[in-house]
Amino acid sequence: MRTQRAQSVLLLGIVAGLPVLVHGQQTPNLSGVWNLESSPTTRYLSYGFMAGDPPMTPWAEERFKATRPSFGPRSFEDSNDPVNPTKLNSAGCFPPGVPRIYLQPFPMEIIQTPGRVLEFFEFNHFVRQIFTDGRPHNTALGATWLGDSIGKWEGDTLVVDTIGFNDKTWVDRAGHPHSDALHVTERMRRANDTTLQIEITIEDPKAYTKPWGAQLQFRAHPKWNITEMVCEDNVNFDDFLKNEAAKK
Amino acid sequence: MSNQFTLWAVAAAFLSTGTPGLAHHGQAGYDLHQQVTVNGTVSDFKFLNPHCIVYLDAKDDKGEMQKWQGELTSPNHLLRAGWTAESLKPGDKITLTGWRAKSGSTSLWITKTVVNGEELKTAAGD
């Protein structure tokens, strides 16, 4: 009976955006479908985390010059963006990493479960697991695309700490690089019923001379669902069929 | 009017290039300063990621049939704007407005879609 009541409170909380009961304790409720509403680069919403260039080291400057984004003020038709290539027949569709994944122009759903907060991104259906059960970082898997994320609640804010990245992704869609020393801190809070704020701090001493970041604002879309989005579909799948046919 | 004529002339010049190439992700392949309007008949509609593609047959100013293709945003975004995989069918009369491919091929990034006299918006609702 008590379990049933707890489940009812949980369900009601999710529906109304009220605090959620997890492990018998109330935590703020970040659940819902969210879409990026504003970012510091207003002209190109899903582009970068600051209007200009972040404070790059010479190491990062050199890599940045070699990047060719697929859109924005310095876009290239033969882009070498690992996520959004434009050159015909290039594979691409690699995971965008963090924090760039927030700039892919698709919504995400936050799903809160006991001991874990999930970010379910529509873009290629990537899922980020943020462990909130008090465990330390676990990077036994080695460097990964999305890193290892642990979170803790500070009042109404979920503070997420992520390390363990590979150096294959860009931090944004403008082409700013990072090393495997990237450390991302996110402070997530529900500013009101319809607004989610995520304050991002990027630290990477190899690539940036000082920490930098941005505050992103997301809007709730309670009527939206996350739908299938497969980046490799269409052009890449056609290429795959052609290549298979050519082998015969 | 003369601009439109020039565009059609350019299109005719590139007719020999055959089927226009697909730009994969992003809009870098399109000239954001060169708007073009194409009237024609839908031959196929791919409601697929990453971007939906409209195939149409349209006559140039000499009355010769050309194959065009228009690129839209992803199906997810269009779904939220009210589109379905059946929104465009072969035989539909269509007018597409958008940015012309930089290569000069007969393809465009679609900014406005009018089908059988009715505009299909691409902005998602709440």
Side-chain angles (χ1 to χ4, degrees), chain B residues 54-126:
Chain B
V54 182
Y55 298 89
L56 65 154
D57 297 320
K59 280 183 186 169
D60 65 11
D61 60 334
K62 291 176 186 153
E64 288 178 25
M65 201 59 88
Q66 289 189 315
K67 293 208 174 294
W68 277 78
Q69 73 175 44
E71 188 170 353
L72 284 155
T73 184
S74 77
N76 315 56
H77 295 306
L78 292 181
L79 197 70
R80 295 184 192 106
W83 290 57
T84 72
E86 308 290 319
S87 287
L88 301 181
K89 291 183 245 0
D92 282 343
K93 299 290 171 207
I94 193 165
T95 303
L96 299 177
T97 305
W99 307 317
R100 183 69 188 269
K102 283 178 186 168
S103 66
S105 66
T106 49
S107 60
L108 75 158
W109 178 270
I110 300 168
T111 55
K112 187 179 178 184
T113 308
V114 178
V115 184
N116 300 325
E118 188 188 341
E119 184 176 356
L120 296 181
K121 301 274 190 186
T122 55
D126 284 336

Side-chain angles (χ1 to χ4, degrees), chain A residues 41-210:
Chain A
T41 51
T42 48
R43 189 173 168 206
Y44 296 95
L45 174 68
S46 326
Y47 187 66
F49 292 111
M50 59 174 12
D53 289 324
M56 285 180 277
T57 62
W59 180 90
E61 287 269 11
E62 193 183 319
R63 274 153 190 79
F64 177 61
K65 281 181 198 153
T67 60
R68 299 195 301 274
S70 63
F71 94 121
R74 51 187 285 268
S75 68
F76 294 82
E77 243 180 300
D78 61 340
S79 169
N80 60 3
D81 184 337
V83 181
N84 300 116
T86 51
K87 199 174 182 181
L88 194 62
N89 295 333
S90 55
C93 293
F94 292 105
V98 179
R100 172 177 171 168
I101 197 159
Y102 290 123
L103 298 178
Q104 294 305 116
F106 296 90
M108 64 149 174
E109 182 170 4
I110 292 182
I111 302 164
Q112 279 180 236
T113 68
R116 228 168 26 149
V117 174
L118 302 178
E119 282 185 328
F120 175 25
F121 292 90
E122 185 164 83
F123 180 77
N124 237 3
H125 280 202
F126 289 114
V127 178
R128 258 185 102 194
Q129 303 189 78
I130 300 160
F131 293 101
T132 55
D133 56 1
R135 73 180 67 187
H137 275 298
N138 181 352
T139 54
L141 195 58
T144 58
W145 294 89
L146 296 177
D148 181 72
S149 299
I150 52 174
K152 63 178 181 195
W153 292 97
E154 287 181 5
D156 65 350
T157 304
L158 177 64
V159 183
V160 182
D161 191 279
T162 308
I163 57 168
F165 294 104
N166 67 33
D167 61 357
K168 297 174 182 172
T169 65
W170 301 347
V171 293
D172 52 26
R173 298 178 80 196
H176 293 109
H178 68 81
S179 76
D180 58 6
L182 176 65
H183 174 206
V184 179
T185 311
E186 294 151 83
R187 297 181 64 85
M188 307 180 181
R189 67 181 280 269
R190 197 169 189 135
N192 55 49
D193 274 357
T194 56
T195 309
L196 175 76
Q197 284 174 348
I198 302 183
E199 195 183 301
I200 297 169
T201 304
I202 295 163
E203 291 172 275
D204 185 343
K206 194 170 178 185
Y208 299 102
T209 57
K210 57 182 177 184

Side-chain angles (χ1 to χ4, degrees), chain A residues 70 75-77 84-86 88 90-91 93 105-107 122 219 221 224-225 227-231 233-236, chain B residues 21-30 32 46 48-53 74 76-77 79-80 102-103 124-126:
Chain A
S70 63
S75 68
F76 294 82
E77 243 180 300
N84 300 116
T86 51
L88 194 62
S90 55
C93 293
F106 296 90
E122 185 164 83
R219 187 170 154 217
H221 287 275
W224 288 13
N225 295 313
T227 55
E228 181 173 285
M229 193 282 169
V230 179
C231 180
D233 205 350
N234 206 355
V235 179
N236 284 347
Chain B
L22 276 173
H24 184 196
H25 301 283
Q27 298 154 357
Y30 298 97
L32 275 56
K46 302 283 190 199
L48 285 176
N49 290 302
H51 294 159
C52 301
I53 307 286
S74 77
N76 315 56
H77 295 306
L79 197 70
R80 295 184 192 106
K102 283 178 186 168
S103 66
D126 284 336

